[in-house]
Amino acid sequence: MTSTSKRQSSPDDSIFRIPPYYYLHVLDQTSNVTRVEIGPKTYIRQDNERVILGPEKMLIIPPRHYCIIENPIVRDKENKPLCDTIGQVKLRHADKEVRLEQEPFPLYPGEIISAKVTPLQIVPPNSAIRLTALRDFVDGNNTQRIAGDEWLFEGPGTYIPRIEVEVSEMVRATILQPNQALKLRARMSTVDRDGHDRVTGEEWLVRRVGAYLPGAFEEVLHVVNAYVLTEKEAVHVRAIKTATDGFGVHRKNGEEWLVTFSDTETYIPDVYEQVVGVVQITTLSNRQYCVILDPVGPDGKPQLGQKKLVKGEKSFFLNPGEKLERGIQSVYILGENEGLILRAIEAFTDKEHSATEPITRKPGDKWMIRGPVEYVPPVQVEVVTKRVAIPLDVTEGIYVRDVKKGRVRAVIGYTYMLDQDEELWQKDLPPDVEKLICTGKDPLANRSELYNKSQEPPAEQLKRDKTKLVTFRVPHNAVVQVYDYKDKKARVVFGPDLVMLGPDEQFTQLSLSGGKPKRPFAIKALCLLLGPDFCTDVIVVETADHARLQMQLSYNWHFDVGAKSDEEAAKLFSIPDFVGDACKAVASRIRGAVASVQFDDFHKNSARIIRASVFGLDDKQKVRQEFKFQQNNLVVTSIDIQSVEPVDQRTRDSLQKSVQLAIEITTNSQEAAARHEAQRVEQQAKGRLERQRISDEAEAEKSRKELLELQAASAAVESCGQSTAEARSRSEAARIEGEGAVQQAKLKAEAMGIEAESELDRLDKARSAELKYVAEQNELEILKTKELATIEVGKFKDFVSCLGADTIRAIAVAGPEQQVKLLQSLGLQSTLITDGKTPLNLFGTALGFLGAAPNTAESCFPPPQKLPKVRECSEDQ
């Protein structure tokens, strides 16, 4: 039966075709018992039966799979289902059964699939599954398991599930690399893989390289990485529980120590050790040092409150609890102009810088060392400050205070270094004096800026080094007063000069009047200008007829210093505001004089009245030249009246009208006088012009007469001079022509001479070149001949050397010997054969007649002569 037919089946059908591996549940309504019908078969339903399930496909569990059946049936020893008395299959209610690979089977009534067909769990290598017993049972290894027990199923393998066991989790092994450790904790009392007993909560490390699979009661906390130690790094470790460390040293709770490269190359902290941090090495050069606070003693315990000095060149690690005081410090290298102020913080004996014998230093003692020197302060010494010699010019200085005696002095003009009992002292000046000194303005050139508030310098420019000597340049024709509050004396300095203030000296400040009209305290100054100078003031006077006038006056003044003695110089500063005092005195005199005269008189004689009131009259009733103030020797030499204006408006208008009327009258009279003078000058000019015209006509007639006489004389001279001029011209032309011909001949001769000389020069050069060419050619020919001769000689020499001397001799004598042999073979005793041209040897003939003739052959053919030796020719031969 196909699935289509199965789906088409209905519980009300009477015939059910059950295919193979299918089943259905049939309920017998009479007995109320449900049975299973298994195919293949055709089932015919009875009237009292009802199909409540099916047809359904049997459960098929493939290999390495399983499923869980809830309420499984009860089987007998032969693995057959058991039924009760009424024929109902017995079930194990509320129980479960794991079924593995088997033949297809149906589900009996009451059985439920709790877990579908599932592949068996494969545990890979280095892995395990944690199992928990749900009920008491005995496993396949005959191990009694109690509910709640936990154990591991380690791979590789396939786990066969059981109803009594629950899978808690998958446990994987931890891979430990070199320089790594695994930190574990015991969840319950157990025995680890190395056979050590572990109690609940105990922690330990596994340092074995490779895969580590924790046990059932072992909890993996984390992987501990090793600290790689170098010569420049160490590890600061603290014990969190009393234990023995990896080096076999017993450590107490809270104890701290260092692990360095000399102990081990890599360090893995134990479970009861806490790494506080990595400590870098402290390296000191030969120019550095440091002070260690609370150093660790030889017993390894910190010496609290003590200090230790370490000098370079050295490298070390700071132990736990140690720290550097002010870090790494450089050695004090002092030059010739440098020094150190030292203070003892503990009692000690100074042996390093004592000249003869050690010096005992008490706490609080201060002393100074000077360079050049290299200095490292011991732990009992504190460096207060470093002193540098202050170079001072002859115009520079500083204020120095002795801290023991309190005395302040000024050091001027040489390089000075403060010792241990001295310090720089700050000299304070009044605010106005401070401004005048800091601005540095010229008292003479910048007078207009002294009372101009808008041109005050910024506050940054007013800052002054108060420890430096206060100096002030007194300009030319000026004077400054300095008062010493300690000696209660004043000194006056005339310019040009440089004033240098002592510690107890102050400038005498001048507060002068300024502006128009004069206002007191307008100008602040330190130096008094001696003049000559001028000042301008505006005053108001009233005449006898009550006319109020405003005058602007300018006074020229100067100070009469004389011999510049101390008494005369002191007078200059006897009046603080000499400008205001002088202007008030002059204005008072002018007001008194003007008050006694009328306006018209004052208007006409204002200059004389003012000068007479100020300077006074001498015995001859003449105005004096100066007005001198005896208190400070101020001399007023002249007064300039710049303007006079009435204060009352009506008086001013009346004065203006009268002045305009007077100006108009004066202008009309001057115009009439000028017109009359112009007419007179015009008449005089006309008379002089007429007389000049008559005299000019007479002179013209006289000149005309002279002209006619000269014309007649010139006509006569012209008639006789023409012929003379023609003759002279012809002779002059002939002379010029002759001179030209002569000159031409001379030039032609010079040209021919030049041509001849050039031709001779050319021929000379050509002959010289030709001779030189021939000589060089001959030299080349001779050189060529010599070279050829040398080649021939060499060739002949090589030829001779190749043939040899014997060969050449044989060639030379071969012909005569052959002839001798031929004659001897013929048997001839004497024979003379001649052609009539060859001479005969008569000496041989005569000897033959005498009977002493030699051999005929020898007489006829003389013996061959020896060839001359061939000489080796040099290149010169």
Side-chain angles (χ1 to χ4, degrees):
M1 189 178 205
T2 63
S3 59
T4 305
S5 60
K6 174 192 144 183
R7 288 194 296 270
Q8 292 176 354
S9 298
S10 173
D12 298 333
D13 294 341
S14 299
I15 299 174
F16 291 88
R17 293 180 176 83
I18 304 174
Y21 302 110
Y22 278 79
Y23 69 96
L24 53 80
H25 289 180
V26 179
L27 174 63
D28 189 349
Q29 295 181 354
T30 303
S31 61
N32 203 20
V33 174
T34 304
R35 69 178 185 275
V36 177
E37 296 291 340
I38 299 174
K41 66 185 298 187
T42 299
Y43 171 70
I44 300 173
R45 181 176 65 86
Q46 301 298 325
D47 293 338
N48 62 340
E49 294 178 345
R50 182 184 176 190
V51 177
I52 59 176
L53 179 64
E56 292 290 335
K57 189 174 182 181
M58 294 183 182
L59 288 179
I60 301 175
I61 301 177
R64 303 186 64 81
H65 286 68
Y66 75 97
C67 70
I68 299 176
I69 303 299
E70 189 176 353
N71 302 325
I73 61 175
V74 180
R75 298 179 182 271
D76 58 9
K77 295 180 180 180
E78 296 179 358
N79 201 21
K80 294 181 179 180
L82 294 179
C83 298
D84 55 8
T85 55
I86 61 175
Q88 182 70 42
V89 179
K90 293 184 178 180
L91 300 177
R92 292 182 294 169
H93 294 282
D95 198 0
K96 294 182 180 179
E97 182 183 15
V98 177
R99 296 182 183 178
L100 302 176
E101 175 187 359
Q102 55 183 297
E103 293 294 331
F105 62 91
L107 289 179
Y108 286 87
E111 291 184 333
I112 301 172
I113 298 178
S114 176
K116 296 182 180 180
V117 177
T118 306
L120 293 176
Q121 186 174 3
I122 299 174
V123 181
N126 297 327
S127 298
I129 54 177
R130 189 185 304 277
L131 304 178
T132 304
L134 300 178
R135 65 183 75 170
D136 298 344
F137 72 100
V138 178
D139 61 7
N141 298 327
N142 295 324
T143 302
Q144 180 66 37
R145 301 292 184 182
I146 301 175
D149 282 353
E150 292 184 1
W151 69 97
L152 293 181
F153 179 83
E154 299 181 5
T158 302
Y159 173 67
I160 305 299
R162 295 177 64 98
I163 298 301
E164 301 86 357
V165 179
E166 179 185 12
V167 177
S168 300
E169 60 177 346
M170 173 70 74
V171 180
R172 299 187 182 276
T174 302
I175 308 299
L176 296 181
Q177 302 292 336
N179 298 328
Q180 285 185 340
L182 186 63
K183 189 173 183 180
L184 303 175
R185 180 191 296 151
R187 297 167 55 241
M188 292 180 63
S189 297
T190 184
V191 178
D192 62 7
R193 294 186 181 274
D194 296 331
H196 299 106
D197 293 332
R198 304 295 181 181
V199 298
T200 303
E202 183 180 356
E203 296 179 358
W204 71 97
L205 291 180
V206 176
R207 304 173 186 267
R208 186 170 54 252
V209 177
Y212 180 81
L213 186 64
F217 300 107
E218 296 175 359
E219 178 184 0
V220 177
L221 298 180
H222 57 83
V223 176
V224 181
N225 293 317
Y227 290 87
V228 179
L229 303 180
T230 63
E231 295 180 353
K232 296 182 180 181
E233 290 183 350
V235 178
H236 180 190
V237 183
R238 180 190 296 125
I240 58 178
K241 185 179 180 181
T242 302
T244 301
D245 63 5
F247 304 104
V249 181
H250 185 70
R251 303 292 183 182
K252 294 183 179 180
N253 187 12
E255 184 178 354
E256 297 181 358
W257 68 97
L258 280 184
V259 179
T260 61
F261 181 76
S262 60
D263 299 329
T264 180
E265 294 183 359
T266 58
Y267 176 72
I268 299 177
D270 209 342
V271 291
Y272 301 120
E273 295 174 357
Q274 177 184 3
V275 176
V276 179
V278 177
V279 179
Q280 300 293 332
I281 194 170
T282 302
T283 303
L284 302 178
S285 66
N286 56 358
R287 289 291 183 271
Q288 292 178 334
Y289 74 95
C290 66
V291 176
I292 301 177
L293 300 178
D294 303 332
V296 175
D299 56 352
K301 297 181 180 180
Q303 301 173 352
L304 300 178
Q306 296 188 12
K307 297 181 180 180
K308 179 182 178 182
L309 176 64
V310 180
K311 300 180 182 179
E313 186 172 321
K314 190 174 183 181
S315 296
F316 62 93
F317 290 101
L318 287 176
N319 290 310
E322 293 181 344
K323 58 182 178 180
L324 296 180
E325 182 183 24
R326 300 177 185 175
I328 298 176
Q329 305 179 56
S330 299
V331 175
Y332 290 95
I333 301 176
L334 305 180
E336 295 181 356
N337 296 327
E338 294 178 334
L340 284 179
I341 304 298
L342 306 177
R343 179 169 55 210
I345 57 178
E346 296 180 11
F348 75 104
T349 301
D350 189 1
K351 300 179 181 179
E352 184 176 359
H353 295 281
S354 59
T356 56
E357 60 183 9
I359 302 174
T360 301
R361 305 287 187 184
K362 297 180 180 180
D365 286 352
K366 293 176 66 176
W367 69 98
M368 180 178 182
I369 62 172
R370 298 175 182 269
V373 69
E374 292 183 4
Y375 181 71
V376 177
V379 294
Q380 300 88 356
V381 176
E382 176 188 7
V383 177
V384 179
T385 183
K386 183 178 180 180
R387 291 285 170 84
V388 180
I390 304 173
L392 301 175
D393 196 6
V394 293
T395 60
E396 295 177 336
I398 55 175
Y399 298 107
V400 179
R401 163 183 273 173
D402 192 335
V403 295
K404 287 187 175 180
K405 300 179 181 180
R407 186 171 59 89
V408 180
R409 61 191 177 93
V411 179
I412 303 173
Y414 61 93
T415 302
Y416 185 76
M417 182 187 296
L418 301 175
D419 60 13
Q420 67 273 10
D421 297 325
E422 293 179 342
E423 65 179 4
L424 292 175
W425 181 72
Q426 294 185 354
K427 182 177 179 61
D428 293 325
L429 298 175
D432 294 337
V433 177
E434 192 83 32
K435 289 182 180 179
L436 293 174
I437 291 178
C438 292
T439 53
K441 294 182 178 180
D442 190 351
L444 184 60
N446 300 325
R447 288 180 298 173
S448 60
E449 300 177 6
L450 294 178
Y451 57 89
N452 190 352
K453 301 298 182 181
S454 62
Q455 297 183 2
E456 288 188 358
E460 292 78 6
Q461 189 176 349
L462 298 178
K463 292 183 179 180
R464 174 182 63 88
D465 188 357
K466 296 183 179 182
T467 61
K468 290 187 177 180
L469 189 71
V470 178
T471 59
F472 182 76
R473 290 180 175 84
V474 183
H476 177 69
N477 202 23
V479 63
V480 171
Q481 186 183 43
V482 178
Y483 187 78
D484 191 340
Y485 286 90
K486 182 178 180 180
D487 297 337
K488 297 182 179 180
K489 293 181 181 179
R491 59 187 176 97
V492 178
V493 180
F494 288 90
D497 199 352
L498 181 68
V499 178
M500 293 183 286
L501 290 186
D504 301 309
E505 291 182 338
Q506 292 288 348
F507 288 106
T508 299
Q509 181 182 352
L510 300 176
S511 296
L512 306 179
S513 299
K516 294 182 292 185
K518 287 292 181 284
R519 294 179 291 102
F521 311 111
I523 301 176
K524 307 291 184 181
L526 296 180
C527 64
L528 179 64
L529 302 179
L530 299 178
D533 205 342
F534 71 95
C535 65
T536 304
D537 192 13
V538 176
I539 63 175
V540 177
V541 298
E542 186 175 357
T543 60
D545 52 357
H546 305 289
R548 293 173 56 85
L549 303 176
Q550 179 178 336
M551 294 188 298
Q552 181 172 337
L553 306 177
S554 178
Y555 316 124
N556 290 338
W557 57 268
H558 69 275
F559 283 95
D560 186 8
V561 180
K564 296 184 180 180
S565 62
D566 295 339
E567 295 180 358
E568 296 295 330
K571 288 183 178 181
L572 298 176
F573 293 89
S574 61
I575 300 177
D577 187 3
F578 75 93
V579 175
D581 184 73
C583 290
K584 289 179 181 178
V586 172
S588 175
R589 291 193 173 201
I590 293 175
R591 289 191 187 97
V594 174
S596 61
V597 297
Q598 299 291 328
F599 173 73
D600 293 337
D601 295 339
F602 175 75
H603 184 65
K604 295 177 181 178
N605 304 310
S606 58
R608 177 176 176 78
I609 293 172
I610 292 174
R611 288 176 57 84
S613 63
V614 175
F615 299 124
L617 302 175
D618 56 6
D619 298 338
K620 297 180 181 181
Q621 297 300 315
K622 291 184 178 180
V623 180
R624 294 189 177 94
Q625 299 298 323
E626 62 182 22
F627 172 42
K628 185 175 183 180
F629 294 86
Q630 297 298 329
Q631 294 86 351
N632 58 352
N633 292 332
L634 177 64
V635 179
V636 180
T637 56
S638 65
I639 298 178
D640 180 21
I641 305 172
Q642 295 180 347
S643 65
V644 177
E645 295 181 358
V647 177
D648 188 11
Q649 184 65 32
R650 291 179 298 176
T651 305
R652 187 182 303 173
D653 296 340
S654 300
L655 180 60
Q656 186 176 3
K657 289 181 180 179
S658 62
V659 169
Q660 291 178 354
L661 182 59
I663 292 173
E664 185 177 357
I665 294 172
T666 304
T667 303
N668 293 334
S669 62
Q670 288 178 354
E671 288 180 356
R675 188 166 50 253
H676 182 269
E677 183 66 21
Q679 292 177 357
R680 184 182 65 80
V681 171
E682 184 180 1
Q683 293 296 329
Q684 290 179 355
K686 287 182 179 180
R688 285 196 300 272
L689 180 61
E690 188 65 24
R691 286 198 302 272
Q692 185 66 31
R693 184 178 62 78
I694 294 172
S695 61
D696 290 343
E697 289 180 356
E699 290 291 334
E701 291 297 332
K702 185 178 180 180
S703 298
R704 190 180 293 109
K705 177 181 177 182
E706 293 177 355
L707 177 62
L708 292 175
E709 292 177 355
L710 290 173
Q711 286 179 352
S714 64
V717 171
E718 183 180 358
S719 61
C720 65
Q722 183 175 1
S723 57
T724 303
E726 290 178 357
R728 287 180 179 177
S729 62
R730 284 194 297 272
S731 64
E732 186 69 22
R735 183 182 65 78
I736 292 172
E737 185 177 357
E739 290 179 355
V742 172
Q743 186 69 21
Q744 185 176 5
K746 288 181 178 181
L747 295 175
K748 186 179 294 184
E750 291 178 358
M752 292 177 66
I754 293 170
E755 290 179 358
E757 289 178 358
S758 62
E759 185 66 21
L760 289 175
D761 189 15
R762 185 185 66 78
L763 292 176
D764 187 14
K765 292 181 178 180
R767 297 294 183 271
S768 298
E770 185 176 359
L771 291 174
K772 184 177 180 182
Y773 171 73
V774 173
E776 292 178 355
Q777 191 172 10
N778 292 335
E779 289 179 358
L780 293 175
E781 190 67 26
I782 292 170
L783 182 61
K784 179 180 178 183
T785 305
K786 287 182 178 181
E787 294 292 335
L788 292 175
T790 302
I791 294 171
E792 289 296 331
V793 169
K795 178 179 179 183
F796 182 74
K797 181 179 177 181
D798 295 339
F799 181 73
V800 170
S801 63
C802 291
L803 294 178
D806 296 337
T807 305
I808 296 173
R809 182 178 177 277
I811 294 173
V813 300
E817 286 182 354
Q818 186 179 9
Q819 292 177 1
V820 170
K821 290 179 179 180
L822 289 174
L823 291 175
Q824 289 178 355
S825 65
L826 293 175
L828 297 178
Q829 294 295 326
S830 63
T831 303
L832 177 62
I833 299 174
T834 179
D835 56 357
K837 294 181 181 179
T838 304
L840 300 175
N841 188 358
L842 297 179
F843 294 100
T845 304
L847 291 174
F849 289 148
L850 294 176
N855 194 313
T856 305
E858 293 179 357
S859 62
C860 295
F861 299 98
Q865 298 178 357
K866 292 183 179 181
L867 293 175
K869 292 183 178 180
V870 179
R871 295 183 299 162
E872 293 182 1
C873 297
S874 63
E875 293 182 358
D876 296 338
Q877 294 175 348

